[in-house]
Amino acid sequence: MFKSIVNFKVYREGIHGNGEKLVRDLSSIRRENYDLIMAVSSPQLHLSSKYKGIIAQHVDPYESGAHTGAIIIEELLNMGVNGSLLNHSERKVPGNHITQCIEEAEEKGFTLYICSESLEETRFLCESGAKYIAYEPPELIGGNISVSAAKPEIVRESAELCKSYNSVLLVGAGVKKGEDVIACKNLGAQGILVSSGVVKSERPVDALNSLMI
Ligand code: G3P
């Protein structure tokens, strides 16, 4: 299954009532061989009781206890959210945060999609046992140049590296068109992360449809 992760961030178009509308509208798109996942902001996570494929944008590696402001796996699972992004370049965390989350997630049956900014970071994630790794060059995020066009060699090498560790490579940043997705696939990626191209589009359903080809 090719994964299409739509990251709502906290774009105005993805929060408050707009968030639920966007989740509802995008949920109408179901394609064979595509796994649609929506990473919503924390106050929108309750939508998981009504819609499939909702994940968090960040998670902390703690058990219940004295951790003010933490988002913990146990609580996410309890509300029906079984996955999260982690280490997005807009929400970087230290290496030990990542390794502890991986351990905790494995123990509890929770899925992490861990972002990486470079081949070196991808290697660290592979060695740490990450299952899903999302390569996103920070400088391309929010722009119109796709990761597949700007960094084809890194995507290809990352895909090979991930394969050798039995990890799955997703890629994101600047993905706006169906042809970008095809290029990502051809370079070995098994999924994409997209944000502005869908969330900030005037026609998000059409925009996502055009990426699920
Ligand atoms: O997590 C996905 C995101 O960072 C990519 O953003 O706007 O370039 O699709 P965008």
Side-chain angles (χ1 to χ4, degrees):
M1 290 276 263
F2 193 81
K3 299 206 177 282
S4 301
I5 302 185
V6 182
N7 182 359
F8 285 31
K9 306 196 176 182
V10 285
Y11 279 133
R12 175 85 25 215
E13 294 83 350
I15 59 172
H16 308 312
N18 295 339
E20 175 151 14
K21 182 173 177 343
L22 191 56
V23 166
R24 188 175 56 239
D25 290 350
L26 298 184
S27 296
S28 67
I29 307 174
R30 289 289 160 200
R31 293 279 174 79
E32 226 177 289
N33 304 325
Y34 274 92
D35 189 12
L36 172 61
I37 297 165
M38 293 167 278
V40 303
S41 67
S42 298
Q44 307 270 331
L45 286 168
H46 64 91
L47 294 171
S48 61
S49 63
K50 275 165 81 176
Y51 301 95
K52 285 190 184 146
I54 301 285
I55 63 165
Q57 296 177 4
H58 169 79
V59 69
D60 294 297
Y62 311 128
E63 298 287 349
S64 56
H67 301 288
T68 302
I71 302 175
I72 62 170
I73 292 178
E74 177 187 328
E75 205 169 25
L76 290 172
L77 285 171
N78 191 47
M79 65 193 297
V81 176
N82 63 8
S84 180
L85 298 180
L86 180 66
N87 197 42
H88 192 282
S89 62
E90 294 156 5
R91 190 70 163 89
K92 290 297 277 184
V93 293
N96 65 339
H97 186 120
I98 296 173
T99 49
Q100 285 169 35
C101 278
I102 291 174
E103 209 173 295
E104 181 86 6
E106 202 160 297
E107 204 178 289
K108 295 195 158 63
F110 187 82
T111 306
L112 293 172
Y113 302 91
I114 311 180
C115 298
S116 157
E117 297 184 1
S118 65
L119 197 54
E120 295 72 57
E121 199 172 10
T122 297
R123 186 177 300 281
F124 164 73
L125 296 178
C126 285
E127 286 169 355
S128 303
K131 173 86 201 297
Y132 294 100
I133 298 172
Y135 168 59
E136 295 202 312
E139 70 278 14
L140 299 178
I141 291 177
N144 289 318
I145 300 172
S146 165
V147 57
S148 53
K151 309 277 181 185
E153 277 317 310
I154 300 186
V155 174
R156 199 192 305 274
E157 277 185 57
S158 304
E160 278 164 20
L161 181 64
C162 285
K163 201 170 168 194
S164 69
Y165 279 88
N166 270 331
S167 300
V168 171
L169 180 76
L170 318 179
V171 293
V175 175
K176 294 277 189 304
K177 296 176 290 202
E179 64 203 57
D180 300 333
V181 179
I182 292 171
C184 292
K185 275 186 191 172
N186 289 341
L187 291 166
Q190 295 178 61
I192 55 149
L193 272 81
V194 60
S195 183
S196 55
V198 171
V199 179
K200 294 187 73 61
S201 164
E202 281 181 12
R203 292 191 202 83
V205 173
D206 292 347
L208 184 57
N209 253 319
S210 74
L211 299 180
M212 294 170 91
I213 51 170

